[in-house]
Amino acid sequence: MAASGSLIELKSRPAQVAARQLHAAVKLISACAQKADGAQLGELLILIREAGIDPLEAAFATGVRRFDKSGDYAVDGALSVTAWLKWKCKLSGGAAAERVEIGKQLERLPKTEEAFARGDVGYQHVAVIARTAENVGAAAVRTEERNLLNAALTMDPGQFTTVAKNFEHRVDAAGALAEANRAYQRRFLHVGDPQDGVVRIDGLLDAEGGATVRAALAAQMKPIKDDDRTHGQRFADALVEFCRKGSGGKRGSSGSRPQLIIRASLATLAGIPGAPAGELEGGGTVPAETVQRYACDSALIRMTGRTELEHERNNASRTLSASTRRALEARDRRCVWPSCGRPADWCDGHHLVWWTRGGESSLPNLALLCRPHHRQVHEGGWSIQRREKQWLVQPPLKIPGRVLARRE
Ligand SMILES: [Zn+2]
Ligand SMILES: [Zn+2]
């Protein structure tokens, strides 16, 4: 259908009638989706998939198979049916190729084709079955087709993929191994250059690598009380935190943790207006507040720069000695922010009076703050102070809010 909603020119009379009815039904469904709510809306969403999208995908797959065999896509100048689908049906290369493969495999899997057309199994389940047939042959899948379809009825596509992979391993262990080896060869990780203050990370891992990363990050991902971070933000924080800890080194032995090198002038460190940004040695810049946060807990940073900075660094009192750090951990035990409870090994030693303003690296001037809360102080503009054995935090003046408190 054209963008205006008018029907395309169909030459066959039955297709014209079907198109008109489909168009009318889609209009009705759209109107219902605007109005329905609660359980009715839920039922409508199921109806859209089971009576609309899935059976239509089944019809699409059958049509694609027949169109492919006919070679009629060449009339439009396309070199393959996949290229034609990309062009005329606005599909991505992967989506077009998947539908061509489903069309091919369904011809040999009649039970699956029927269940798909009835809307009993969804598109993604059928894509899994088609991939399995591609890997071990449709004949092998036919011997297990009923069991696979029964599993598909009760499982989401992710769980069903595990069942299908188990089946592949049973009928063709060597093939499953070869596939795992191919997957392993595809692994890569790309960490981009900073652009507009963000770095894009892309990658592929094999199943084992992916599970290892998930398991390692899961421990760092637990939400804290009143945590307003999204799941994705917690995942991102966990990755950075994991890398920050390096190869398992304890806090006292900073040698095993990655050292982030920031070049910054003394003016930047002191927060003087007009000072340049800090420069990350790996590329990219960070604002003065971030430089100050890193400098606040010196264990994670070596600063380089101008002569006066070197001089300052050599004479600075910001460095926490191992014994001061131990005493700080013994006193605070965890992040001191009210409502936070992140353990000490997530925490930096924050100087209540920053060392650039003469604050000392001694216990009365220090507080354990987890990385997100340390950031909230330096980059977020919050203040933290200790008064009569209580930790008090206050939002920046421009944000109206109340003082939160926590007993030591
Ligand atoms: Zn700090
Ligand atoms: Zn915290």
Side-chain angles (χ1 to χ4, degrees), residues 224 335-337 340-342 347 368-374:
I224 55 164
C335 174
V336 301
W337 198 273
C340 185
R342 292 199 176 94
C347 294
L368 272 189
L369 282 181
C370 70
R371 248 72 75 180
H373 283 132
H374 199 192

Side-chain angles (χ1 to χ4, degrees), residues 148-300:
L148 285 172
L149 286 171
N150 283 339
L153 289 177
T154 57
M155 292 177 176
D156 68 47
Q159 295 166 325
F160 182 57
T161 301
T162 304
V163 170
K165 286 290 162 202
N166 266 327
F167 166 69
E168 282 184 32
H169 196 275
R170 273 191 278 126
V171 297
D172 183 11
L177 175 63
E179 198 203 354
N181 284 339
R182 278 196 302 276
Y184 180 64
Q185 287 305 327
R186 292 174 65 200
R187 74 197 185 282
F188 81 94
L189 186 70
H190 176 74
V191 181
D193 291 326
Q195 258 182 4
D196 302 327
V198 293
V199 169
R200 177 172 287 280
I201 297 180
D202 295 306
L204 281 179
L205 296 174
D206 68 345
E208 181 201 342
T212 306
V213 171
R214 271 179 189 282
L217 298 186
Q220 317 262 6
M221 277 190 68
K222 292 189 190 95
I224 55 164
K225 194 166 166 257
D226 300 329
D227 203 337
D228 58 1
R229 295 172 302 160
T230 63
H231 182 266
Q233 287 173 333
R234 285 192 282 120
F235 225 140
D237 288 351
L239 176 66
V240 174
E241 191 59 30
F242 193 80
C243 296
R244 203 171 248 149
K245 284 183 181 157
S247 51
K250 286 292 284 177
R251 184 78 204 194
S253 56
S254 61
S256 61
R257 288 201 307 278
Q259 291 282 308
L260 195 59
I261 300 175
I262 301 179
R263 290 179 193 280
S265 71
L266 188 56
T268 305
L269 260 181
I272 294 169
E279 284 178 35
L280 292 164
E281 197 164 81
T285 57
V286 288
E289 288 78 5
T290 305
V291 175
Q292 289 158 8
R293 172 165 54 86
Y294 267 88
C296 188
D297 182 298
S298 61
L300 290 167

Side-chain angles (χ1 to χ4, degrees), residues 28 57 79 85 117 132 154 157 206 221 228 261 266 274 284 318 331 339 344 365-366 380 385-386:
L28 272 176
E57 282 280 10
L79 294 178
L85 288 171
T132 303
T154 57
D206 68 345
M221 277 190 68
D228 58 1
I261 300 175
L266 188 56
R318 68 191 170 93
R331 187 195 69 188
S339 87
N365 190 40
L366 292 168
Q385 47 184 303
R386 189 173 45 212

